[in-house]
Amino acid sequence: MNFALSALLVSASICLSGTLAVAADEAAKVTSLMSKDLPDYPGKEGLVLSVEYGPGGSSPIHKHEADVFAYVLEGSVVMQVKGGKEVTLSPGDTFYEGPSDIHLISRNASKTKPAKFIVVLVKKKDVPAVMPVK
């Protein structure tokens, strides 16, 4: 599998195994679960990621030039895009980001328990899944 996930959450190292280690205030673990070309949408691909935040974990401000769907599996996650309200998501809750959204807040709501969520992106092929924003 070849993933162009450069600069994921500002600082990332890509492993050929599909696991991504992310540097942030507290480490986040991002694992690529699947990548699939979308033949009905030429030039597009679907990408499925698992994101785990340790207690107090967070991501720096970033954006995705993609349609992004998140589903919380465990713990609680705080999310906010520019112009939107800050929301706290619990297991079973979902979150959407559009291709032009800037993701201002993505963090674990707890300082003592981990959080885990699944992210599904529909994006242009050969475009990084995540890009830092200053």
Coordinates of all heavy atoms in Angstrom, one line a residue, residues 5-91:
L5 N 0.7 10.3 3.0 CA 0.1 11.0 4.3 C 1.2 11.9 4.9 O 1.5 11.8 6.1 CB -0.3 9.9 5.3 CG -1.4 9.0 4.8 CD1 -1.7 7.9 5.9 CD2 -2.7 9.8 4.6
S6 N 1.8 12.7 4.0 CA 2.9 13.6 4.5 C 2.4 14.6 5.4 O 1.2 15.1 5.3 CB 3.6 14.2 3.3 OG 2.7 15.0 2.6
A7 N 3.1 15.0 6.4 CA 2.9 16.1 7.3 C 1.6 15.8 8.1 O 0.9 16.8 8.5 CB 2.8 17.4 6.6
L8 N 1.3 14.6 8.4 CA 0.0 14.3 9.1 C 0.2 14.9 10.5 O 1.1 14.6 11.3 CB -0.2 12.8 9.2 CG -1.4 12.3 10.0 CD1 -2.7 12.9 9.3 CD2 -1.5 10.8 10.1
L9 N -0.8 15.7 10.8 CA -0.9 16.4 12.1 C 0.5 17.0 12.4 O 0.9 17.0 13.6 CB -1.4 15.5 13.2 CG -2.7 14.8 12.8 CD1 -3.0 13.8 14.0 CD2 -3.8 15.7 12.6
V10 N 1.0 17.7 11.4 CA 2.3 18.4 11.5 C 3.5 17.5 11.4 O 4.4 17.7 10.7 CB 2.4 19.4 12.7 CG1 3.7 20.0 12.8 CG2 1.3 20.4 12.6
S11 N 3.6 16.5 12.2 CA 4.8 15.7 12.3 C 4.4 14.2 12.3 O 3.8 13.7 13.2 CB 5.6 16.0 13.5 OG 6.7 15.2 13.7
A12 N 4.8 13.5 11.2 CA 4.4 12.1 11.2 C 5.5 11.3 10.5 O 6.3 11.8 9.7 CB 3.1 11.9 10.3
S13 N 5.6 10.0 10.9 CA 6.5 9.1 10.2 C 5.7 8.0 9.7 O 4.9 7.4 10.4 CB 7.6 8.7 11.1 OG 7.2 8.5 12.4
I14 N 5.9 7.7 8.4 CA 5.1 6.7 7.7 C 5.9 5.4 7.8 O 7.0 5.3 7.4 CB 4.8 7.1 6.3 CG1 3.9 8.3 6.3 CG2 4.1 6.0 5.5 CD1 3.6 8.9 5.0
C15 N 5.2 4.3 8.2 CA 5.8 3.0 8.2 C 5.1 2.2 7.1 O 3.9 2.3 6.8 CB 5.5 2.3 9.5 SG 6.2 3.3 10.9
L16 N 5.9 1.4 6.4 CA 5.3 0.6 5.3 C 4.2 -0.4 5.8 O 3.4 -0.8 5.0 CB 6.4 -0.2 4.6 CG 7.4 0.7 3.9 CD1 8.5 -0.2 3.3 CD2 6.7 1.5 2.8
S17 N 4.2 -0.7 7.1 CA 3.2 -1.5 7.6 C 1.8 -0.9 7.6 O 0.8 -1.6 7.9 CB 3.5 -1.9 9.1 OG 3.4 -0.8 9.9
G18 N 1.7 0.4 7.4 CA 0.4 1.1 7.4 C 0.2 1.8 8.7 O -0.8 2.4 8.9
T19 N 1.1 1.7 9.7 CA 0.9 2.4 10.9 C 1.6 3.7 10.9 O 2.7 3.9 10.4 CB 1.5 1.6 12.1 OG1 0.8 0.3 12.1 CG2 1.3 2.3 13.4
L20 N 1.0 4.7 11.4 CA 1.5 6.1 11.4 C 1.7 6.6 12.8 O 0.8 6.5 13.6 CB 0.4 6.9 10.7 CG 0.7 8.1 9.9 CD1 1.7 7.8 8.8 CD2 -0.6 8.5 9.3
A21 N 2.9 7.0 13.2 CA 3.1 7.6 14.5 C 3.0 9.1 14.3 O 3.7 9.7 13.5 CB 4.5 7.2 15.0
V22 N 2.3 9.8 15.2 CA 2.1 11.2 15.1 C 2.6 11.9 16.3 O 2.3 11.5 17.4 CB 0.6 11.5 14.9 CG1 0.3 12.9 14.8 CG2 0.0 10.7 13.7
A23 N 3.3 13.0 16.1 CA 3.8 13.8 17.2 C 2.8 14.9 17.4 O 2.4 15.6 16.5 CB 5.2 14.3 16.9
A24 N 2.4 15.1 18.7 CA 1.5 16.2 19.1 C 1.9 16.5 20.5 O 2.9 16.0 21.0 CB 0.1 15.8 18.9
D25 N 1.1 17.3 21.2 CA 1.3 17.5 22.6 C 1.4 16.2 23.4 O 2.3 16.0 24.2 CB 0.2 18.4 23.2 CG 0.2 19.8 22.6 OD1 1.2 20.2 22.1 OD2 -0.9 20.4 22.7
E26 N 0.5 15.3 23.1 CA 0.5 13.9 23.6 C 0.5 13.1 22.4 O -0.2 13.4 21.4 CB -0.6 13.7 24.5 CG -0.6 14.5 25.8 CD 0.5 14.0 26.8 OE1 0.8 12.8 26.8 OE2 1.0 14.9 27.5
A27 N 1.1 12.0 22.4 CA 1.2 11.1 21.2 C -0.2 10.7 20.7 O -1.0 10.3 21.6 CB 2.1 9.9 21.4
A28 N -0.4 10.7 19.4 CA -1.6 10.1 18.9 C -1.1 8.9 18.0 O -0.1 9.0 17.4 CB -2.4 11.1 18.0
K29 N -1.9 7.9 17.9 CA -1.6 6.8 17.0 C -2.6 6.8 15.9 O -3.8 6.6 16.2 CB -1.6 5.5 17.8 CG -1.2 4.3 17.0 CD -1.3 3.0 17.8 CE -1.1 1.8 16.9 NZ -1.3 0.6 17.6
V30 N -2.1 6.9 14.7 CA -3.0 6.8 13.5 C -2.6 5.6 12.7 O -1.5 5.5 12.3 CB -2.9 8.1 12.7 CG1 -3.8 8.0 11.4 CG2 -3.2 9.3 13.5
T31 N -3.6 4.7 12.4 CA -3.3 3.5 11.7 C -4.2 3.5 10.4 O -5.4 3.7 10.5 CB -3.6 2.3 12.6 OG1 -2.9 2.4 13.8 CG2 -3.3 1.0 11.8
S32 N -3.5 3.3 9.3 CA -4.3 3.1 8.0 C -4.9 1.7 8.0 O -4.2 0.8 8.2 CB -3.3 3.3 6.8 OG -2.9 4.6 6.8
L33 N -6.2 1.7 7.9 CA -6.9 0.4 7.8 C -7.2 0.0 6.4 O -7.2 -1.2 6.1 CB -8.2 0.5 8.6 CG -8.0 0.9 10.1 CD1 -9.4 1.0 10.7 CD2 -7.2 -0.1 10.8
M34 N -7.4 0.9 5.5 CA -7.8 0.6 4.1 C -7.6 1.8 3.2 O -7.9 2.9 3.6 CB -9.2 0.1 4.1 CG -9.8 -0.2 2.8 SD -11.5 -0.7 2.9 CE -11.8 -1.3 1.3
S35 N -7.2 1.5 2.0 CA -7.2 2.5 1.0 C -7.8 1.9 -0.3 O -7.4 0.8 -0.6 CB -5.8 3.0 0.7 OG -5.8 4.0 -0.4
K36 N -8.7 2.6 -1.0 CA -9.4 1.9 -2.1 C -9.7 3.0 -3.2 O -10.3 4.0 -2.9 CB -10.7 1.3 -1.7 CG -11.5 0.6 -2.7 CD -10.9 -0.7 -3.2 CE -11.8 -1.4 -4.2 NZ -11.1 -2.2 -5.0
D37 N -9.2 2.8 -4.4 CA -9.6 3.6 -5.5 C -11.1 3.5 -5.7 O -11.7 2.5 -5.5 CB -8.9 3.2 -6.8 CG -7.4 3.5 -6.8 OD1 -6.9 4.2 -5.9 OD2 -6.7 2.9 -7.7
L38 N -11.7 4.6 -6.1 CA -13.2 4.7 -6.3 C -13.5 4.8 -7.8 O -13.5 5.9 -8.3 CB -13.8 5.8 -5.5 CG -13.5 5.8 -4.0 CD1 -14.0 7.1 -3.3 CD2 -14.1 4.6 -3.4
P39 N -13.7 3.7 -8.5 CA -13.8 3.7 -9.9 C -15.0 4.5 -10.4 O -15.0 5.1 -11.5 CB -14.0 2.2 -10.3 CG -14.3 1.5 -9.0 CD -13.8 2.3 -7.9
D40 N -16.0 4.7 -9.6 CA -17.2 5.6 -10.0 C -16.8 7.0 -9.9 O -17.6 7.9 -10.3 CB -18.4 5.2 -9.2 CG -19.0 3.9 -9.5 OD1 -18.7 3.4 -10.6 OD2 -19.8 3.4 -8.7
Y41 N -15.7 7.4 -9.2 CA -15.3 8.7 -9.0 C -13.8 8.8 -9.5 O -12.9 8.8 -8.6 CB -15.4 9.2 -7.6 CG -16.9 9.0 -7.1 CD1 -17.3 7.9 -6.4 CD2 -17.8 10.0 -7.3 CE1 -18.6 7.7 -6.0 CE2 -19.1 9.9 -6.9 CZ -19.5 8.7 -6.3 OH -20.8 8.6 -5.9
P42 N -13.6 8.9 -10.8 CA -12.2 8.9 -11.3 C -11.3 9.9 -10.5 O -11.7 11.1 -10.3 CB -12.3 9.3 -12.7 CG -13.7 8.8 -13.1 CD -14.5 9.1 -11.8
G43 N -10.1 9.5 -10.2 CA -9.1 10.3 -9.5 C -9.3 10.4 -8.0 O -8.6 11.1 -7.3
K44 N -10.4 9.7 -7.5 CA -10.7 9.8 -6.0 C -10.4 8.4 -5.4 O -10.4 7.4 -6.0 CB -12.1 10.1 -5.8 CG -12.5 11.5 -6.3 CD -12.4 12.5 -5.2 CE -13.0 13.8 -5.7 NZ -13.2 14.7 -4.6
E45 N -10.1 8.5 -4.1 CA -9.9 7.3 -3.3 C -10.6 7.4 -2.0 O -10.8 8.5 -1.5 CB -8.4 7.0 -3.1 CG -7.7 7.9 -2.2 CD -6.2 7.6 -2.0 OE1 -5.8 6.5 -2.4 OE2 -5.5 8.5 -1.6
G46 N -10.9 6.3 -1.4 CA -11.4 6.2 0.0 C -10.3 5.8 0.9 O -9.5 4.9 0.5
L47 N -10.2 6.4 2.1 CA -9.2 6.0 3.0 C -9.8 5.9 4.4 O -10.6 6.7 4.8 CB -8.1 7.1 3.1 CG -6.9 7.0 4.0 CD1 -6.1 5.8 3.6 CD2 -6.1 8.3 3.9
V48 N -9.5 4.8 5.1 CA -10.1 4.5 6.4 C -8.9 4.5 7.4 O -7.9 3.8 7.2 CB -10.9 3.2 6.5 CG1 -11.4 3.0 7.9 CG2 -12.0 3.1 5.4
L49 N -9.0 5.3 8.5 CA -8.0 5.4 9.5 C -8.6 5.1 10.8 O -9.7 5.5 11.1 CB -7.4 6.8 9.5 CG -6.8 7.4 8.2 CD1 -6.5 8.8 8.4 CD2 -5.6 6.6 7.8
S50 N -7.8 4.6 11.7 CA -8.1 4.5 13.1 C -7.2 5.5 13.8 O -6.0 5.6 13.6 CB -7.8 3.1 13.6 OG -7.9 3.1 15.0
V51 N -7.8 6.4 14.7 CA -7.1 7.4 15.5 C -7.2 7.1 16.9 O -8.4 7.0 17.4 CB -7.5 8.8 15.1 CG1 -6.7 9.8 15.9 CG2 -7.4 9.1 13.6
E52 N -6.1 7.0 17.7 CA -6.2 6.8 19.1 C -5.4 8.0 19.8 O -4.3 8.3 19.4 CB -5.5 5.5 19.5 CG -6.2 4.3 18.9 CD -5.5 3.0 19.2 OE1 -5.3 2.7 20.4 OE2 -5.1 2.3 18.3
Y53 N -6.1 8.7 20.7 CA -5.5 9.7 21.5 C -5.3 9.1 22.9 O -6.2 8.6 23.5 CB -6.4 10.9 21.7 CG -6.5 11.8 20.5 CD1 -7.7 12.4 20.1 CD2 -5.3 12.1 19.7 CE1 -7.7 13.2 19.0 CE2 -5.4 13.0 18.6 CZ -6.6 13.5 18.3 OH -6.7 14.4 17.2
G54 N -4.1 9.2 23.5 CA -3.9 8.9 24.8 C -4.5 10.0 25.7 O -5.0 11.0 25.2
P55 N -4.5 9.8 27.0 CA -5.1 10.8 27.9 C -4.5 12.2 27.6 O -3.3 12.3 27.6 CB -4.7 10.3 29.3 CG -4.6 8.8 29.1 CD -4.0 8.6 27.8
G56 N -5.3 13.2 27.4 CA -4.8 14.5 27.1 C -4.3 14.7 25.7 O -3.8 15.8 25.4
G57 N -4.4 13.7 24.9 CA -3.8 13.8 23.5 C -4.6 14.8 22.6 O -5.8 15.0 22.8
S58 N -3.9 15.3 21.7 CA -4.5 16.3 20.7 C -3.7 16.3 19.4 O -2.7 15.8 19.3 CB -4.5 17.7 21.4 OG -3.2 18.2 21.6
S59 N -4.3 17.1 18.5 CA -3.7 17.3 17.2 C -3.6 18.8 17.0 O -4.5 19.5 17.3 CB -4.5 16.7 16.1 OG -4.6 15.3 16.2
P60 N -2.5 19.3 16.3 CA -2.5 20.7 16.0 C -3.5 21.0 14.9 O -4.1 20.1 14.2 CB -1.0 20.8 15.4 CG -0.4 19.5 15.5 CD -1.4 18.5 15.9
I61 N -3.7 22.3 14.7 CA -4.6 22.8 13.6 C -4.2 22.2 12.3 O -3.0 22.2 11.9 CB -4.6 24.3 13.6 CG1 -5.2 24.9 14.9 CG2 -5.5 24.8 12.4 CD1 -5.0 26.4 15.1
H62 N -5.2 21.7 11.5 CA -4.9 21.1 10.3 C -6.1 21.1 9.4 O -7.2 21.6 9.8 CB -4.5 19.6 10.5 CG -5.5 18.8 11.1 ND1 -5.7 18.7 12.5 CD2 -6.4 17.9 10.6 CE1 -6.7 17.9 12.7 NE2 -7.2 17.4 11.6
K63 N -6.0 20.6 8.1 CA -7.1 20.5 7.2 C -7.0 19.3 6.4 O -5.9 18.7 6.3 CB -7.3 21.8 6.4 CG -6.2 22.0 5.3 CD -6.4 23.2 4.6 CE -6.3 22.9 3.1 NZ -6.9 23.9 2.2
H64 N -8.1 18.9 5.8 CA -8.1 17.8 4.9 C -8.8 18.3 3.6 O -9.9 18.8 3.7 CB -9.0 16.6 5.5 CG -8.8 16.3 6.9 ND1 -7.8 15.3 7.2 CD2 -9.3 16.7 8.0 CE1 -7.8 15.2 8.5 NE2 -8.7 16.0 9.1
E65 N -8.2 18.1 2.5 CA -8.9 18.5 1.3 C -9.7 17.2 0.9 O -9.4 16.6 -0.1 CB -7.9 18.9 0.2 CG -7.3 20.3 0.6 CD -6.4 20.9 -0.5 OE1 -6.3 20.3 -1.6 OE2 -5.9 21.9 -0.3
A66 N -10.7 16.9 1.7 CA -11.5 15.7 1.5 C -12.8 15.8 2.3 O -12.9 16.7 3.1 CB -10.7 14.5 2.1
D67 N -13.7 15.0 1.9 CA -14.9 14.8 2.8 C -14.5 13.8 3.8 O -13.9 12.7 3.5 CB -16.1 14.2 2.0 CG -16.6 15.3 1.0 OD1 -17.3 16.2 1.5 OD2 -16.4 15.2 -0.2
V68 N -14.7 14.2 5.1 CA -14.2 13.4 6.2 C -15.3 13.1 7.2 O -16.1 14.0 7.6 CB -13.1 14.2 7.0 CG1 -12.6 13.4 8.2 CG2 -12.0 14.6 6.1
F69 N -15.5 11.8 7.5 CA -16.5 11.3 8.4 C -15.8 10.6 9.5 O -15.0 9.7 9.3 CB -17.4 10.3 7.7 CG -18.0 10.8 6.4 CD1 -17.4 10.8 5.2 CD2 -19.3 11.4 6.5 CE1 -18.0 11.3 4.0 CE2 -19.9 11.9 5.3 CZ -19.2 11.9 4.1
A70 N -16.1 11.0 10.8 CA -15.5 10.4 12.0 C -16.6 9.7 12.8 O -17.7 10.2 12.9 CB -14.8 11.5 12.8
Y71 N -16.2 8.6 13.4 CA -17.1 7.8 14.3 C -16.4 7.4 15.5 O -15.3 6.8 15.4 CB -17.6 6.6 13.5 CG -18.5 5.7 14.3 CD1 -19.9 6.0 14.4 CD2 -18.0 4.6 15.0 CE1 -20.7 5.2 15.2 CE2 -18.9 3.8 15.8 CZ -20.2 4.1 15.8 OH -21.1 3.3 16.6
V72 N -16.8 7.9 16.7 CA -16.1 7.6 17.9 C -16.5 6.2 18.4 O -17.6 5.8 18.5 CB -16.5 8.7 19.0 CG1 -15.8 8.4 20.3 CG2 -16.2 10.1 18.5
L73 N -15.4 5.5 18.7 CA -15.5 4.1 19.3 C -15.5 4.1 20.8 O -16.2 3.3 21.4 CB -14.4 3.2 18.7 CG -14.4 3.0 17.2 CD1 -13.1 2.3 16.8 CD2 -15.6 2.3 16.8
E74 N -14.5 4.8 21.4 CA -14.4 4.8 22.8 C -13.8 6.1 23.3 O -13.2 6.8 22.6 CB -13.5 3.6 23.3 CG -12.1 3.7 22.8 CD -11.2 2.5 23.2 OE1 -11.6 1.4 22.7 OE2 -10.3 2.6 23.9
G75 N -14.2 6.4 24.6 CA -13.7 7.7 25.2 C -14.6 8.8 24.6 O -15.6 8.6 24.0
S76 N -14.1 10.0 24.8 CA -14.7 11.3 24.3 C -13.7 12.1 23.6 O -12.6 12.2 24.0 CB -15.3 12.1 25.5 OG -16.4 11.3 26.1
V77 N -14.2 12.7 22.5 CA -13.3 13.5 21.7 C -13.9 14.9 21.5 O -15.1 15.0 21.2 CB -13.1 12.8 20.3 CG1 -12.1 13.7 19.4 CG2 -12.5 11.4 20.5
V78 N -13.1 15.9 21.6 CA -13.6 17.3 21.3 C -13.2 17.7 19.9 O -12.0 17.6 19.6 CB -13.1 18.3 22.4 CG1 -13.6 19.7 22.1 CG2 -13.4 17.9 23.8
M79 N -14.1 18.2 19.1 CA -13.9 18.6 17.7 C -14.4 20.0 17.5 O -15.5 20.3 18.0 CB -14.5 17.6 16.7 CG -14.1 16.2 16.8 SD -12.5 16.0 16.0 CE -12.4 14.2 16.0
Q80 N -13.8 20.7 16.6 CA -14.3 22.0 16.1 C -13.6 22.3 14.8 O -12.4 22.2 14.7 CB -14.0 23.1 17.1 CG -14.6 24.4 16.7 CD -14.3 25.6 17.6 OE1 -13.4 25.5 18.5 NE2 -15.1 26.6 17.5
V81 N -14.4 22.8 13.8 CA -13.9 23.3 12.6 C -14.1 24.8 12.6 O -15.0 25.3 13.3 CB -14.5 22.7 11.3 CG1 -14.1 21.2 11.2 CG2 -16.0 22.9 11.3
K82 N -13.3 25.6 11.9 CA -13.4 27.0 11.9 C -14.9 27.4 11.4 O -15.4 26.9 10.5 CB -12.4 27.6 10.9 CG -12.3 29.1 10.9 CD -11.2 29.6 10.0 CE -11.0 31.1 10.2 NZ -9.9 31.6 9.4
G83 N -15.5 28.3 12.2 CA -16.8 28.8 12.0 C -17.9 27.9 12.6 O -19.1 28.2 12.5
G84 N -17.5 26.7 13.1 CA -18.4 25.8 13.8 C -18.3 25.8 15.3 O -17.4 26.4 15.8
K85 N -19.3 25.2 15.9 CA -19.3 25.1 17.4 C -18.4 23.9 17.8 O -18.2 22.9 17.2 CB -20.7 24.8 17.9 CG -21.6 26.0 17.7 CD -23.0 25.7 18.2 CE -23.9 26.9 18.0 NZ -25.2 26.7 18.5
E86 N -17.8 24.1 19.0 CA -17.0 23.0 19.6 C -18.0 22.0 20.1 O -19.0 22.3 20.7 CB -16.2 23.6 20.8 CG -15.3 22.6 21.5 CD -14.5 23.2 22.6 OE1 -13.7 24.1 22.3 OE2 -14.7 22.7 23.7
V87 N -17.7 20.7 19.8 CA -18.6 19.6 20.2 C -17.8 18.6 20.9 O -16.6 18.3 20.6 CB -19.4 19.0 19.0 CG1 -20.4 20.0 18.4 CG2 -18.5 18.5 18.0
T88 N -18.4 17.9 21.9 CA -17.8 16.8 22.6 C -18.5 15.5 22.1 O -19.8 15.5 22.3 CB -17.8 16.9 24.1 OG1 -17.1 18.1 24.4 CG2 -17.2 15.8 24.8
L89 N -17.8 14.6 21.5 CA -18.4 13.4 21.0 C -18.1 12.2 21.9 O -17.0 12.1 22.4 CB -17.8 13.1 19.6 CG -17.9 14.3 18.6 CD1 -17.1 14.0 17.4 CD2 -19.3 14.6 18.2
S90 N -19.1 11.3 22.0 CA -19.0 10.1 22.8 C -19.1 8.9 21.9 O -19.5 9.1 20.7 CB -20.0 10.1 23.9 OG -19.9 11.2 24.8
P91 N -18.9 7.7 22.4 CA -19.0 6.5 21.6 C -20.4 6.5 20.8 O -21.4 6.8 21.4 CB -18.9 5.4 22.5 CG -18.0 5.9 23.6 CD -18.4 7.3 23.8

